[in-house]
Amino acid sequence: MRSVSPTFTRRLLDSAAIDAADAQVLVDTARALKRGAGAETPRLRGKNIALLCAHVEGDDVRRFDAAASALGARVSHINATPAWLRDDPPMGAPTARLLENLYDAVDCEELPAGFAQRLQAQLGVPVFDGLARDTHAVFGLLPRVALRGAAPDEDDRRALLQALLVRSLS
């Protein structure tokens, strides 16, 4: 099975274009996950993901939680502190160390621009910036995940999100 390039998660964070080889790996993985949707395997069993968010009730938060949990990951919702919601939110070294020790990855939903990048500079685990958000650049691949001629649907979105998680955390 082909794998994504070593800089894959960094490009996801920076919303840089995903190269053709990584895009094909994601599309192939998403299609494979869709084919096995009825018998989802716990590919992320034992993985812990922190979901830092301003609002725990958003659609993106629910979408991320459902996709990761279906793969066996444990998702912890962590409400953003008021300091994190300012333009230049600080993240103290002890808090960063704690996140790195407890979690295999961190997704930042609805947090100020640049927060995820500053957090990634402090952590040795993948940090995502709104991975389930409709506007995330990777969802440009949705038409390639959908069946030929069909419009992408929620199952396609979930499969692509799961492919991102599997490829980033496996």
Side-chain angles (χ1 to χ4, degrees), residues 77-96:
H77 296 236
I78 301 173
N79 289 332
T81 68
W84 294 353
L85 300 176
R86 292 195 292 265
D87 287 339
D88 189 16
M91 169 70 70
T95 304

Side-chain angles (χ1 to χ4, degrees), residues 94-144:
T95 304
R97 262 193 317 278
L98 182 65
L99 286 174
E100 185 173 57
N101 289 328
L102 293 176
Y103 300 102
D104 299 293
V106 176
D107 185 29
C108 302
E109 290 289 342
E110 302 174 5
L111 296 179
F115 180 85
Q117 287 81 359
R118 287 189 294 277
L119 185 58
Q120 180 64 78
Q122 293 180 277
L123 298 181
V125 298
V127 175
F128 306 112
D129 189 7
L131 198 54
R133 190 174 47 234
D134 287 334
T135 58
H136 197 286
V138 77
F139 288 113
L141 297 174
L142 275 174
R144 293 174 55 187

